[in-house]
Amino acid sequence: MSRLGGPSLSHVLPSRTPTPNRLLPTASRRRHRPRRPWPSKKPVPEPMRSRPIPFEASALVLDLDAEDNRYVRPYKEDVDGVPVSSLYSRARRLKPIEWRVFKFEEESGRHAKFFRTSARNKFSLWQVSNYDILSVALQGLPPKDAPENASVDNEDESIKKWNGIFKKNGIPFHVRDNSSMAVAYMLRRQHLGQRLEPNVHNGRYFVRAIRGCNTFWRLERFIENAIQTPEGPQLISDSMLLITRLASRKLKRTSPSEVLPLLNNIIIMLEYRGLRVPRNVYYSAYLLALKSRAFPTAQKYLLKIFQRLDNRTLNELLIWKTLRILPKVIATKGPENTVPSTIQDTMPRLLAIYSLLTGHVLGEEMRQASLHDVIYKCRSSCLYLYVYHLAQLGCFRTMWYIWHEETGGAAPNIQVITRERPQPRSKTWIFLNAMQEALRTNTRLLELAQAPDFIHTANQFNEDHRLDMENIIKSADIISTRNSGQVYPSGNWDMYNIWGKVSIRESMLALQSYLNEMKASYANNDEASSPTQDQ
């Protein structure tokens, strides 16, 4: 077929001259190149001038293909181009569909790869457990604040955990918008995974997997998954010392109240199955309970520690750490800032501390496990801190019984650990310095001597302890204050003349006079220093 053309072609066709075929967009001047390989990225659409729209030419136009027409020249492929194939329009229409199919297959392959990797690893953190399915069914999923490919440094731990579970199990990210659909996907992945469970012969790999948990929530999830396997508890029992050490290292980033439930659940599970629980695990759980202010839990662990110890194996460092932690727990109000705490919160905590020290519980006749049971079995360096905490709580009747309990009122020499070297100190020195340190930490303790029932006594062991607990309830606001100041002690008073009296009532009268004299001395020194400060 020929086309119109030639150097003598006029710009204006004569009248009744059909439109030449060359001016119609029925063919493209460029060659139809073969289909290129599928691009790795989305191709840029071609401009409209390169995408002519083919159409059917009319019979009138075809009549122009006459050999006697002076406007017709022979067909040249390099000039006139190649006619468009009939499949070109269909290929252009299917091109975006094929692109979406390609992206879907690529994403599906990536999900399948993640799922196969998690399913083959029996120590994987990300295997879907029964707890995960139950949690989604009951509580739903947390909001996805960040997209799938965003950085997880600032995300919440629960968001990071669920993002990891969905990604590592090949579950599409959009499923998180619907909890019922998420449960269906998780059940399907759990069924296809055919989970491999660890056994007792995999102890070395189990320890290696524990060391790979660089955050506390990863360690917690790993332990929870291992508990649900038949032989996982035995592996946990064999690795408890390592787990406790790693959990303690994470305390810099995690609060003790978050670590305590993990150790508590592990200990309960191991005891229920009759497996061995190392002694140091009880020590760590006990100290975590103290730092978390969970005193009933701390007393239960203290009782278990005492049941597994004798006089020779008593860990004195544990008692020392306990007495060093308690001052931070007693105080709730400071000179600069006040911790938001009400009397309803303060009184139970102070009574729990008193119960931990002495074993007495308000309203109960039976004593609980306490530091009083072992304070004389360890080195006497702990006695100073023990008496100091009783003075902080204002339990002066209990202090009288402590004085008379060991030696019947005598004043023996007791070895007290100092920073330089151990030196023999008398019980008089211990009580004097403990009283002075308590009054220096909280000068409001001097106000306790002004109470009308300060000298009330019952001359019975249990009743006098009950009076001290009632005094804690009445004076909780004073006891929990930390108002540091310089106390000027009276040099004429001897602790032996106060606590060494046979009658507890006489001792309380002498102590009242001692505290009133110190209060007067403290007030006089404040008045003397106030003009200097005004100047």
Side-chain angles (χ1 to χ4, degrees), residues 21 28 39 46 58 86 104 119 213 247 269 351 361 368 386 393 412 419 490 501 514 525:
N21 252 358
S28 175
E46 298 178 352
S58 63
S86 61
F104 176 81
C213 301
M269 182 268 300
L351 290 175
V361 181
Q368 306 293 331
Y386 185 81
L393 295 174
R419 292 184 178 180
S490 174
K501 297 184 179 299
Y514 174 70
N525 281 276

Side-chain angles (χ1 to χ4, degrees), residues 271-334:
E271 290 179 345
Y272 175 77
R273 294 176 179 265
L275 299 175
R276 184 181 67 90
V277 181
R279 188 189 310 162
N280 291 339
V281 176
Y282 287 116
Y283 292 164
S284 300
Y286 167 72
L287 294 176
L288 286 173
L290 285 181
K291 295 177 181 178
S292 305
R293 300 184 178 184
F295 296 104
T297 305
Q299 281 188 301
K300 292 180 181 179
Y301 284 126
L302 189 64
L303 177 61
K304 294 179 181 180
I305 292 172
F306 291 163
Q307 291 174 350
R308 288 164 173 78
L309 297 179
D310 53 22
N311 294 343
R312 283 186 263 177
T313 60
L314 179 64
N315 192 340
E316 299 177 13
L317 183 61
L318 178 70
I319 309 300
W320 179 266
K321 288 182 178 181
T322 301
L323 297 173
R324 299 293 293 179
I325 292 174
L326 290 181
K328 303 177 183 179
V329 181
I330 295 177
T332 57
K333 298 180 180 179

Side-chain angles (χ1 to χ4, degrees), residues 152-189:
V152 297
D153 293 338
N154 298 325
E155 289 185 81
D156 186 69
E157 290 184 357
S158 61
I159 297 178
K160 289 191 289 186
K161 182 184 75 173
W162 286 109
N163 283 350
I165 293 174
F166 275 64
K167 179 180 179 180
K168 298 299 183 180
N169 285 279
I171 301 176
F173 194 68
H174 65 83
V175 176
R176 292 190 57 181
D177 297 331
N178 191 338
S179 297
S180 59
M181 188 181 299
V183 171
Y185 267 89
M186 295 170 70
L187 287 171
R188 179 62 177 170
R189 288 305 192 191

Side-chain angles (χ1 to χ4, degrees), residues 247-258:
S248 301
R249 291 178 183 176
K250 310 303 180 185
L251 286 178
K252 297 180 180 179
R253 302 179 182 178
T254 311
S255 62
S257 58
E258 296 179 4

